[in-house]
Amino acid sequence: MNWKNISLEKGFIKQELNFNGNKVINYIPLCQVDSFGIVSTENKRWLYAGFFFLACALIMAFAQSFQGMMLMGFVATGLICIYFMTKTTWFNITSSQTKFSVQVSTTKEEIQAVNAFIEEIKHNICVSENIQTSKAA
């Protein structure tokens, strides 16, 4: 199974990257995968600061200070927009030595594709563990 630049091969997860026109390939053995899934990164301080300035704008509106209300409203709007523009979602696969990360758009189709890829990784890890257990027995 292949998803973006990460593909699932027999016993390995492979990531292909391009650095300065050179193709680089990284591998993680399925038996060494520690964790995998979707992670969201956001800095809520921008959102909290935006709500603070929005509250200040409302206070200025009750005080009938139109210029102060407009200034505080513009600052609040800008800070809340910065929060939404910097919010990102990542698909991570982590082992003790390596971490693969791919930025994911938050559309419904993209999230479903990532979930299908996660299920395939989970299935292959379970299958490879069962094979190793049966070989040990």
Side-chain angles (χ1 to χ4, degrees), residues 21-52:
N22 295 324
K23 189 175 184 180
V24 177
I25 299 175
N26 294 321
Y27 290 95
I28 295 179
L30 282 175
C31 61
Q32 293 183 3
V33 172
D34 294 331
S35 65
F36 52 94
I38 296 176
V39 178
S40 178
T41 59
E42 56 190 42
N43 188 351
K44 289 193 178 186
R45 290 181 185 153
W46 294 110
L47 187 63
Y48 297 148
F51 284 137
F52 172 75

PDB file of all heavy atoms in Angstrom, residues 21-52:
ATOM      1  N   GLY A  21      17.262  17.615  -5.176  1.00  0.00           N
ATOM      2  CA  GLY A  21      17.238  16.821  -6.398  1.00  0.00           C
ATOM      3  C   GLY A  21      17.698  15.388  -6.229  1.00  0.00           C
ATOM      4  O   GLY A  21      17.675  14.613  -7.178  1.00  0.00           O
ATOM      5  N   ASN A  22      18.155  15.019  -5.047  1.00  0.00           N
ATOM      6  CA  ASN A  22      18.592  13.641  -4.779  1.00  0.00           C
ATOM      7  C   ASN A  22      17.479  12.890  -4.057  1.00  0.00           C
ATOM      8  O   ASN A  22      16.867  13.402  -3.133  1.00  0.00           O
ATOM      9  CB  ASN A  22      19.858  13.625  -3.919  1.00  0.00           C
ATOM     10  CG  ASN A  22      21.028  14.239  -4.644  1.00  0.00           C
ATOM     11  OD1 ASN A  22      21.167  14.078  -5.848  1.00  0.00           O
ATOM     12  ND2 ASN A  22      21.857  14.962  -3.908  1.00  0.00           N
ATOM     13  N   LYS A  23      17.273  11.660  -4.468  1.00  0.00           N
ATOM     14  CA  LYS A  23      16.245  10.825  -3.854  1.00  0.00           C
ATOM     15  C   LYS A  23      16.833  10.097  -2.652  1.00  0.00           C
ATOM     16  O   LYS A  23      17.860   9.436  -2.761  1.00  0.00           O
ATOM     17  CB  LYS A  23      15.719   9.833  -4.874  1.00  0.00           C
ATOM     18  CG  LYS A  23      14.512   9.068  -4.442  1.00  0.00           C
ATOM     19  CD  LYS A  23      14.008   8.214  -5.593  1.00  0.00           C
ATOM     20  CE  LYS A  23      12.747   7.520  -5.224  1.00  0.00           C
ATOM     21  NZ  LYS A  23      12.240   6.693  -6.325  1.00  0.00           N
ATOM     22  N   VAL A  24      16.178  10.242  -1.497  1.00  0.00           N
ATOM     23  CA  VAL A  24      16.610   9.597  -0.263  1.00  0.00           C
ATOM     24  C   VAL A  24      15.502   8.649   0.182  1.00  0.00           C
ATOM     25  O   VAL A  24      14.328   8.996   0.163  1.00  0.00           O
ATOM     26  CB  VAL A  24      16.880  10.652   0.841  1.00  0.00           C
ATOM     27  CG1 VAL A  24      17.267   9.981   2.134  1.00  0.00           C
ATOM     28  CG2 VAL A  24      17.931  11.636   0.398  1.00  0.00           C
ATOM     29  N   ILE A  25      15.882   7.446   0.583  1.00  0.00           N
ATOM     30  CA  ILE A  25      14.909   6.441   1.020  1.00  0.00           C
ATOM     31  C   ILE A  25      15.225   6.036   2.451  1.00  0.00           C
ATOM     32  O   ILE A  25      16.361   5.703   2.774  1.00  0.00           O
ATOM     33  CB  ILE A  25      14.933   5.209   0.090  1.00  0.00           C
ATOM     34  CG1 ILE A  25      14.575   5.618  -1.337  1.00  0.00           C
ATOM     35  CG2 ILE A  25      13.969   4.148   0.594  1.00  0.00           C
ATOM     36  CD1 ILE A  25      14.689   4.506  -2.337  1.00  0.00           C
ATOM     37  N   ASN A  26      14.206   6.089   3.310  1.00  0.00           N
ATOM     38  CA  ASN A  26      14.326   5.663   4.703  1.00  0.00           C
ATOM     39  C   ASN A  26      13.421   4.458   4.930  1.00  0.00           C
ATOM     40  O   ASN A  26      12.333   4.379   4.360  1.00  0.00           O
ATOM     41  CB  ASN A  26      13.895   6.781   5.656  1.00  0.00           C
ATOM     42  CG  ASN A  26      14.807   7.970   5.595  1.00  0.00           C
ATOM     43  OD1 ASN A  26      16.011   7.831   5.492  1.00  0.00           O
ATOM     44  ND2 ASN A  26      14.226   9.157   5.646  1.00  0.00           N
ATOM     45  N   TYR A  27      13.863   3.550   5.784  1.00  0.00           N
ATOM     46  CA  TYR A  27      13.093   2.356   6.113  1.00  0.00           C
ATOM     47  C   TYR A  27      12.952   2.233   7.631  1.00  0.00           C
ATOM     48  O   TYR A  27      13.867   2.553   8.373  1.00  0.00           O
ATOM     49  CB  TYR A  27      13.788   1.081   5.617  1.00  0.00           C
ATOM     50  CG  TYR A  27      13.788   0.913   4.125  1.00  0.00           C
ATOM     51  CD1 TYR A  27      14.866   1.321   3.364  1.00  0.00           C
ATOM     52  CD2 TYR A  27      12.710   0.328   3.491  1.00  0.00           C
ATOM     53  CE1 TYR A  27      14.882   1.153   1.995  1.00  0.00           C
ATOM     54  CE2 TYR A  27      12.708   0.153   2.116  1.00  0.00           C
ATOM     55  CZ  TYR A  27      13.788   0.571   1.376  1.00  0.00           C
ATOM     56  OH  TYR A  27      13.791   0.408   0.020  1.00  0.00           O
ATOM     57  N   ILE A  28      11.799   1.755   8.051  1.00  0.00           N
ATOM     58  CA  ILE A  28      11.589   1.345   9.443  1.00  0.00           C
ATOM     59  C   ILE A  28      11.041  -0.074   9.392  1.00  0.00           C
ATOM     60  O   ILE A  28      10.017  -0.318   8.745  1.00  0.00           O
ATOM     61  CB  ILE A  28      10.579   2.252  10.189  1.00  0.00           C
ATOM     62  CG1 ILE A  28      11.088   3.673  10.331  1.00  0.00           C
ATOM     63  CG2 ILE A  28      10.271   1.673  11.568  1.00  0.00           C
ATOM     64  CD1 ILE A  28      10.111   4.604  11.043  1.00  0.00           C
ATOM     65  N   PRO A  29      11.690  -1.026  10.057  1.00  0.00           N
ATOM     66  CA  PRO A  29      11.122  -2.380  10.131  1.00  0.00           C
ATOM     67  C   PRO A  29       9.813  -2.355  10.925  1.00  0.00           C
ATOM     68  O   PRO A  29       9.689  -1.620  11.918  1.00  0.00           O
ATOM     69  CB  PRO A  29      12.186  -3.181  10.867  1.00  0.00           C
ATOM     70  CG  PRO A  29      13.436  -2.386  10.726  1.00  0.00           C
ATOM     71  CD  PRO A  29      13.016  -0.955  10.645  1.00  0.00           C
ATOM     72  N   LEU A  30       8.838  -3.118  10.472  1.00  0.00           N
ATOM     73  CA  LEU A  30       7.541  -3.135  11.159  1.00  0.00           C
ATOM     74  C   LEU A  30       7.667  -3.561  12.616  1.00  0.00           C
ATOM     75  O   LEU A  30       6.921  -3.094  13.467  1.00  0.00           O
ATOM     76  CB  LEU A  30       6.567  -4.059  10.429  1.00  0.00           C
ATOM     77  CG  LEU A  30       5.936  -3.496   9.172  1.00  0.00           C
ATOM     78  CD1 LEU A  30       5.088  -4.555   8.483  1.00  0.00           C
ATOM     79  CD2 LEU A  30       5.101  -2.284   9.480  1.00  0.00           C
ATOM     80  N   CYS A  31       8.631  -4.411  12.916  1.00  0.00           N
ATOM     81  CA  CYS A  31       8.781  -4.879  14.298  1.00  0.00           C
ATOM     82  C   CYS A  31       9.326  -3.776  15.211  1.00  0.00           C
ATOM     83  O   CYS A  31       9.258  -3.902  16.428  1.00  0.00           O
ATOM     84  CB  CYS A  31       9.666  -6.117  14.351  1.00  0.00           C
ATOM     85  SG  CYS A  31      11.332  -5.843  13.732  1.00  0.00           S
ATOM     86  N   GLN A  32       9.870  -2.695  14.645  1.00  0.00           N
ATOM     87  CA  GLN A  32      10.421  -1.606  15.459  1.00  0.00           C
ATOM     88  C   GLN A  32       9.533  -0.372  15.511  1.00  0.00           C
ATOM     89  O   GLN A  32       9.922   0.645  16.074  1.00  0.00           O
ATOM     90  CB  GLN A  32      11.804  -1.221  14.932  1.00  0.00           C
ATOM     91  CG  GLN A  32      12.835  -2.287  15.128  1.00  0.00           C
ATOM     92  CD  GLN A  32      14.206  -1.840  14.656  1.00  0.00           C
ATOM     93  OE1 GLN A  32      14.406  -0.717  14.235  1.00  0.00           O
ATOM     94  NE2 GLN A  32      15.166  -2.755  14.730  1.00  0.00           N
ATOM     95  N   VAL A  33       8.345  -0.419  14.917  1.00  0.00           N
ATOM     96  CA  VAL A  33       7.436   0.728  14.959  1.00  0.00           C
ATOM     97  C   VAL A  33       6.885   0.857  16.370  1.00  0.00           C
ATOM     98  O   VAL A  33       6.294  -0.074  16.908  1.00  0.00           O
ATOM     99  CB  VAL A  33       6.297   0.564  13.929  1.00  0.00           C
ATOM    100  CG1 VAL A  33       5.247   1.643  14.114  1.00  0.00           C
ATOM    101  CG2 VAL A  33       6.850   0.608  12.525  1.00  0.00           C
ATOM    102  N   ASP A  34       7.136   2.024  16.986  1.00  0.00           N
ATOM    103  CA  ASP A  34       6.656   2.266  18.343  1.00  0.00           C
ATOM    104  C   ASP A  34       5.238   2.835  18.351  1.00  0.00           C
ATOM    105  O   ASP A  34       4.405   2.426  19.151  1.00  0.00           O
ATOM    106  CB  ASP A  34       7.586   3.241  19.073  1.00  0.00           C
ATOM    107  CG  ASP A  34       8.955   2.653  19.310  1.00  0.00           C
ATOM    108  OD1 ASP A  34       9.058   1.426  19.444  1.00  0.00           O
ATOM    109  OD2 ASP A  34       9.928   3.426  19.348  1.00  0.00           O
ATOM    110  N   SER A  35       4.993   3.804  17.483  1.00  0.00           N
ATOM    111  CA  SER A  35       3.667   4.416  17.436  1.00  0.00           C
ATOM    112  C   SER A  35       3.428   4.999  16.056  1.00  0.00           C
ATOM    113  O   SER A  35       4.359   5.290  15.313  1.00  0.00           O
ATOM    114  CB  SER A  35       3.527   5.503  18.496  1.00  0.00           C
ATOM    115  OG  SER A  35       4.416   6.569  18.226  1.00  0.00           O
ATOM    116  N   PHE A  36       2.139   5.187  15.729  1.00  0.00           N
ATOM    117  CA  PHE A  36       1.769   5.789  14.458  1.00  0.00           C
ATOM    118  C   PHE A  36       0.372   6.358  14.601  1.00  0.00           C
ATOM    119  O   PHE A  36      -0.439   5.852  15.367  1.00  0.00           O
ATOM    120  CB  PHE A  36       1.842   4.782  13.302  1.00  0.00           C
ATOM    121  CG  PHE A  36       1.091   3.510  13.535  1.00  0.00           C
ATOM    122  CD1 PHE A  36      -0.204   3.368  13.095  1.00  0.00           C
ATOM    123  CD2 PHE A  36       1.686   2.452  14.193  1.00  0.00           C
ATOM    124  CE1 PHE A  36      -0.897   2.202  13.313  1.00  0.00           C
ATOM    125  CE2 PHE A  36       1.009   1.276  14.411  1.00  0.00           C
ATOM    126  CZ  PHE A  36      -0.297   1.147  13.971  1.00  0.00           C
ATOM    127  N   GLY A  37       0.098   7.446  13.904  1.00  0.00           N
ATOM    128  CA  GLY A  37      -1.217   8.056  13.955  1.00  0.00           C
ATOM    129  C   GLY A  37      -1.188   9.510  13.542  1.00  0.00           C
ATOM    130  O   GLY A  37      -0.170  10.037  13.097  1.00  0.00           O
ATOM    131  N   ILE A  38      -2.330  10.165  13.702  1.00  0.00           N
ATOM    132  CA  ILE A  38      -2.504  11.558  13.307  1.00  0.00           C
ATOM    133  C   ILE A  38      -2.295  12.447  14.529  1.00  0.00           C
ATOM    134  O   ILE A  38      -2.806  12.168  15.611  1.00  0.00           O
ATOM    135  CB  ILE A  38      -3.897  11.786  12.719  1.00  0.00           C
ATOM    136  CG1 ILE A  38      -4.052  10.974  11.446  1.00  0.00           C
ATOM    137  CG2 ILE A  38      -4.144  13.252  12.446  1.00  0.00           C
ATOM    138  CD1 ILE A  38      -5.411  11.049  10.825  1.00  0.00           C
ATOM    139  N   VAL A  39      -1.520  13.516  14.334  1.00  0.00           N
ATOM    140  CA  VAL A  39      -1.218  14.466  15.402  1.00  0.00           C
ATOM    141  C   VAL A  39      -1.567  15.857  14.909  1.00  0.00           C
ATOM    142  O   VAL A  39      -1.255  16.221  13.776  1.00  0.00           O
ATOM    143  CB  VAL A  39       0.283  14.408  15.780  1.00  0.00           C
ATOM    144  CG1 VAL A  39       0.608  15.427  16.842  1.00  0.00           C
ATOM    145  CG2 VAL A  39       0.671  13.023  16.213  1.00  0.00           C
ATOM    146  N   SER A  40      -2.203  16.639  15.750  1.00  0.00           N
ATOM    147  CA  SER A  40      -2.526  18.018  15.410  1.00  0.00           C
ATOM    148  C   SER A  40      -1.633  18.952  16.210  1.00  0.00           C
ATOM    149  O   SER A  40      -1.472  18.780  17.418  1.00  0.00           O
ATOM    150  CB  SER A  40      -4.000  18.300  15.740  1.00  0.00           C
ATOM    151  OG  SER A  40      -4.313  19.632  15.453  1.00  0.00           O
ATOM    152  N   THR A  41      -1.028  19.914  15.519  1.00  0.00           N
ATOM    153  CA  THR A  41      -0.198  20.899  16.207  1.00  0.00           C
ATOM    154  C   THR A  41      -0.867  22.256  16.098  1.00  0.00           C
ATOM    155  O   THR A  41      -1.294  22.668  15.017  1.00  0.00           O
ATOM    156  CB  THR A  41       1.206  20.976  15.591  1.00  0.00           C
ATOM    157  OG1 THR A  41       1.093  21.320  14.215  1.00  0.00           O
ATOM    158  CG2 THR A  41       1.950  19.674  15.735  1.00  0.00           C
ATOM    159  N   GLU A  42      -0.964  22.916  17.219  1.00  0.00           N
ATOM    160  CA  GLU A  42      -1.581  24.238  17.253  1.00  0.00           C
ATOM    161  C   GLU A  42      -1.038  25.001  18.441  1.00  0.00           C
ATOM    162  O   GLU A  42      -0.612  24.407  19.427  1.00  0.00           O
ATOM    163  CB  GLU A  42      -3.100  24.126  17.332  1.00  0.00           C
ATOM    164  CG  GLU A  42      -3.582  23.307  18.510  1.00  0.00           C
ATOM    165  CD  GLU A  42      -5.056  23.000  18.444  1.00  0.00           C
ATOM    166  OE1 GLU A  42      -5.558  22.673  17.373  1.00  0.00           O
ATOM    167  OE2 GLU A  42      -5.704  23.104  19.497  1.00  0.00           O
ATOM    168  N   ASN A  43      -1.039  26.306  18.325  1.00  0.00           N
ATOM    169  CA  ASN A  43      -0.607  27.164  19.414  1.00  0.00           C
ATOM    170  C   ASN A  43      -1.828  27.956  19.870  1.00  0.00           C
ATOM    171  O   ASN A  43      -2.202  28.952  19.255  1.00  0.00           O
ATOM    172  CB  ASN A  43       0.515  28.094  18.952  1.00  0.00           C
ATOM    173  CG  ASN A  43       1.129  28.856  20.094  1.00  0.00           C
ATOM    174  OD1 ASN A  43       0.618  28.831  21.217  1.00  0.00           O
ATOM    175  ND2 ASN A  43       2.212  29.547  19.821  1.00  0.00           N
ATOM    176  N   LYS A  44      -2.452  27.497  20.946  1.00  0.00           N
ATOM    177  CA  LYS A  44      -3.696  28.101  21.402  1.00  0.00           C
ATOM    178  C   LYS A  44      -3.498  29.473  22.019  1.00  0.00           C
ATOM    179  O   LYS A  44      -4.464  30.170  22.281  1.00  0.00           O
ATOM    180  CB  LYS A  44      -4.396  27.176  22.385  1.00  0.00           C
ATOM    181  CG  LYS A  44      -4.958  25.959  21.697  1.00  0.00           C
ATOM    182  CD  LYS A  44      -5.895  25.208  22.582  1.00  0.00           C
ATOM    183  CE  LYS A  44      -6.451  24.046  21.804  1.00  0.00           C
ATOM    184  NZ  LYS A  44      -7.463  23.332  22.508  1.00  0.00           N
ATOM    185  N   ARG A  45      -2.262  29.895  22.219  1.00  0.00           N
ATOM    186  CA  ARG A  45      -2.036  31.237  22.758  1.00  0.00           C
ATOM    187  C   ARG A  45      -2.564  32.303  21.806  1.00  0.00           C
ATOM    188  O   ARG A  45      -3.059  33.335  22.251  1.00  0.00           O
ATOM    189  CB  ARG A  45      -0.549  31.448  23.032  1.00  0.00           C
ATOM    190  CG  ARG A  45      -0.058  30.617  24.184  1.00  0.00           C
ATOM    191  CD  ARG A  45       1.397  30.867  24.446  1.00  0.00           C
ATOM    192  NE  ARG A  45       1.869  29.958  25.479  1.00  0.00           N
ATOM    193  CZ  ARG A  45       3.095  29.551  25.599  1.00  0.00           C
ATOM    194  NH1 ARG A  45       4.011  29.964  24.750  1.00  0.00           N
ATOM    195  NH2 ARG A  45       3.444  28.732  26.558  1.00  0.00           N
ATOM    196  N   TRP A  46      -2.450  32.056  20.491  1.00  0.00           N
ATOM    197  CA  TRP A  46      -2.999  33.005  19.523  1.00  0.00           C
ATOM    198  C   TRP A  46      -4.513  33.121  19.701  1.00  0.00           C
ATOM    199  O   TRP A  46      -5.071  34.225  19.662  1.00  0.00           O
ATOM    200  CB  TRP A  46      -2.697  32.573  18.089  1.00  0.00           C
ATOM    201  CG  TRP A  46      -1.264  32.595  17.720  1.00  0.00           C
ATOM    202  CD1 TRP A  46      -0.464  31.515  17.485  1.00  0.00           C
ATOM    203  CD2 TRP A  46      -0.428  33.745  17.537  1.00  0.00           C
ATOM    204  NE1 TRP A  46       0.807  31.927  17.171  1.00  0.00           N
ATOM    205  CE2 TRP A  46       0.855  33.293  17.189  1.00  0.00           C
ATOM    206  CE3 TRP A  46      -0.640  35.114  17.632  1.00  0.00           C
ATOM    207  CZ2 TRP A  46       1.916  34.154  16.930  1.00  0.00           C
ATOM    208  CZ3 TRP A  46       0.412  35.979  17.379  1.00  0.00           C
ATOM    209  CH2 TRP A  46       1.667  35.496  17.035  1.00  0.00           C
ATOM    210  N   LEU A  47      -5.176  32.004  19.893  1.00  0.00           N
ATOM    211  CA  LEU A  47      -6.625  32.003  20.060  1.00  0.00           C
ATOM    212  C   LEU A  47      -7.024  32.690  21.359  1.00  0.00           C
ATOM    213  O   LEU A  47      -7.959  33.507  21.374  1.00  0.00           O
ATOM    214  CB  LEU A  47      -7.137  30.562  20.038  1.00  0.00           C
ATOM    215  CG  LEU A  47      -8.639  30.368  20.037  1.00  0.00           C
ATOM    216  CD1 LEU A  47      -9.252  30.953  18.769  1.00  0.00           C
ATOM    217  CD2 LEU A  47      -8.979  28.894  20.140  1.00  0.00           C
ATOM    218  N   TYR A  48      -6.325  32.394  22.449  1.00  0.00           N
ATOM    219  CA  TYR A  48      -6.634  33.027  23.729  1.00  0.00           C
ATOM    220  C   TYR A  48      -6.409  34.532  23.667  1.00  0.00           C
ATOM    221  O   TYR A  48      -7.217  35.312  24.192  1.00  0.00           O
ATOM    222  CB  TYR A  48      -5.797  32.422  24.849  1.00  0.00           C
ATOM    223  CG  TYR A  48      -6.052  30.945  25.092  1.00  0.00           C
ATOM    224  CD1 TYR A  48      -5.035  30.113  25.522  1.00  0.00           C
ATOM    225  CD2 TYR A  48      -7.302  30.377  24.875  1.00  0.00           C
ATOM    226  CE1 TYR A  48      -5.253  28.761  25.738  1.00  0.00           C
ATOM    227  CE2 TYR A  48      -7.522  29.033  25.083  1.00  0.00           C
ATOM    228  CZ  TYR A  48      -6.503  28.230  25.515  1.00  0.00           C
ATOM    229  OH  TYR A  48      -6.721  26.900  25.722  1.00  0.00           O
ATOM    230  N   ALA A  49      -5.322  34.954  23.027  1.00  0.00           N
ATOM    231  CA  ALA A  49      -5.055  36.391  22.882  1.00  0.00           C
ATOM    232  C   ALA A  49      -6.139  37.042  22.032  1.00  0.00           C
ATOM    233  O   ALA A  49      -6.587  38.162  22.328  1.00  0.00           O
ATOM    234  CB  ALA A  49      -3.679  36.616  22.268  1.00  0.00           C
ATOM    235  N   GLY A  50      -6.601  36.354  20.991  1.00  0.00           N
ATOM    236  CA  GLY A  50      -7.679  36.895  20.157  1.00  0.00           C
ATOM    237  C   GLY A  50      -8.964  37.069  20.935  1.00  0.00           C
ATOM    238  O   GLY A  50      -9.643  38.094  20.803  1.00  0.00           O
ATOM    239  N   PHE A  51      -9.299  36.089  21.778  1.00  0.00           N
ATOM    240  CA  PHE A  51     -10.506  36.215  22.596  1.00  0.00           C
ATOM    241  C   PHE A  51     -10.363  37.311  23.640  1.00  0.00           C
ATOM    242  O   PHE A  51     -11.332  37.991  23.968  1.00  0.00           O
ATOM    243  CB  PHE A  51     -10.852  34.879  23.259  1.00  0.00           C
ATOM    244  CG  PHE A  51     -11.476  33.900  22.312  1.00  0.00           C
ATOM    245  CD1 PHE A  51     -11.100  32.577  22.325  1.00  0.00           C
ATOM    246  CD2 PHE A  51     -12.442  34.283  21.408  1.00  0.00           C
ATOM    247  CE1 PHE A  51     -11.665  31.663  21.462  1.00  0.00           C
ATOM    248  CE2 PHE A  51     -13.028  33.384  20.527  1.00  0.00           C
ATOM    249  CZ  PHE A  51     -12.634  32.072  20.561  1.00  0.00           C
ATOM    250  N   PHE A  52      -9.150  37.489  24.160  1.00  0.00           N
ATOM    251  CA  PHE A  52      -8.920  38.578  25.119  1.00  0.00           C
ATOM    252  C   PHE A  52      -9.177  39.933  24.451  1.00  0.00           C
ATOM    253  O   PHE A  52      -9.882  40.786  25.004  1.00  0.00           O
ATOM    254  CB  PHE A  52      -7.487  38.518  25.664  1.00  0.00           C
ATOM    255  CG  PHE A  52      -7.119  39.698  26.510  1.00  0.00           C
ATOM    256  CD1 PHE A  52      -7.607  39.815  27.809  1.00  0.00           C
ATOM    257  CD2 PHE A  52      -6.311  40.701  26.010  1.00  0.00           C
ATOM    258  CE1 PHE A  52      -7.284  40.908  28.594  1.00  0.00           C
ATOM    259  CE2 PHE A  52      -5.985  41.808  26.789  1.00  0.00           C
ATOM    260  CZ  PHE A  52      -6.469  41.909  28.078  1.00  0.00           C
TER     261      PHE A  52
END
